[in-house]
Amino acid sequence: MPIVVDVDVMLARRKMSVGELAERVGITPANLAVLKNGRAKAVRFTTLAALCEVLDCQPGDLLRWEPETGRPETGQPETRAEAGTAGDTVAAVGESA
């Protein structure tokens, strides 16, 4: 996916643990890990706003766009399996379990 999540970068800058951030934002550590590890397919604006408030940053500090690289031999985009994302079915981040 061309959207890259840099929550781990902001955590390091703020010297904060995943558990502390999850508690302060009000989401489960598991859901935060899904977002942090780039497996989320969506994020609620309320969750994004809470992350920005707790981390004292802008949405652009947490999310960035990188163009996808196509298959060199065909120029076509990679398939999900080739990109290593087969089986990822997380639909959203931000709901408490």
Side-chain angles (χ1 to χ4, degrees):
M1 179 179 297
I3 301 297
V4 178
V5 181
D6 286 327
V7 169
D8 53 345
V9 172
M10 291 306 297
L11 281 171
R13 287 182 182 166
R14 301 297 187 253
K15 296 183 171 107
M16 188 181 299
S17 70
V18 172
E20 180 184 352
L21 179 60
E23 183 177 324
R24 291 177 62 184
V25 169
I27 62 175
T28 66
N31 278 341
L32 182 56
V34 167
L35 179 62
K36 185 175 88 62
N37 295 324
R39 295 188 318 262
K41 302 297 179 205
V43 62
R44 294 176 186 270
F45 279 3
T46 54
T47 302
L48 184 58
L51 286 166
C52 289
E53 182 177 351
V54 171
L55 293 169
D56 189 29
C57 66
Q58 294 294 312
D61 296 325
L62 300 175
L63 304 172
R64 63 187 158 88
W65 177 80
E66 284 188 359
E68 290 190 65
T69 57
R71 289 186 238 150
E73 66 278 3
T74 64
Q76 297 298 314
E78 295 177 329
T79 64
R80 287 181 54 131
E82 290 170 335
T85 58
D88 290 343
T89 58
V90 176
V93 172
E95 297 177 3
S96 295

